[in-house]
Amino acid sequence: MSTAVKIDEAAKSKLEELQAEIRLKTGKKVTQQDILTQLIESAVESRTKFVDSFRDGKTSLRETEIRTFNEGTIASGVETDEEDIDDVLYG
């Protein structure tokens, strides 16, 4: 079952360039649908990296980075509630 997907002219042009390069370098004629299917499979295989590519600015921290950050924190032994924080911040 095929479904039409609309893409802008710049994306269409890049897709055509990919198609031509694949044929030139591999000797295989592939359809644009084949290319899009392969691109989707690649994105699914590295899902986190692909999702992160849509973030603005720095990507989220990795688990090891979070652990390293948390190792540098200490507990002062003083319990703080919301009212204390409001007093400190807003007076």
Side-chain angles (χ1 to χ4, degrees), residues 16-33:
E16 290 168 349
E17 287 176 21
L18 274 172
Q19 187 178 26
E21 187 172 352
I22 291 168
R23 184 166 188 187
L24 180 67
K25 292 186 176 179
T26 67
K28 294 181 180 179
K29 185 175 180 180
V30 296
T31 66
Q32 291 178 1
Q33 182 175 342

Side-chain angles (χ1 to χ4, degrees), residues 4-72:
V5 176
K6 293 184 180 187
I7 59 174
D8 62 31
E9 288 299 318
K12 176 74 170 166
S13 177
K14 290 176 184 177
L15 185 58
E16 290 168 349
E17 287 176 21
L18 274 172
Q19 187 178 26
E21 187 172 352
I22 291 168
R23 184 166 188 187
L24 180 67
K25 292 186 176 179
T26 67
K28 294 181 180 179
K29 185 175 180 180
V30 296
T31 66
Q32 291 178 1
Q33 182 175 342
D34 292 335
I35 295 169
L36 290 172
T37 299
Q38 182 65 33
L39 287 169
I40 292 166
E41 289 299 321
S42 294
V44 168
E45 288 174 9
S46 56
R47 186 179 304 257
T48 301
K49 185 177 179 182
F50 183 74
V51 171
D52 286 346
S53 73
F54 287 91
R55 296 184 191 279
D56 293 332
K58 179 141 174 60
T59 59
S60 61
L61 296 175
R62 289 185 218 97
E63 287 298 318
T64 55
E65 294 171 318
I66 293 169
R67 266 188 259 116
T68 301
F69 175 81
N70 287 333
E71 286 172 1

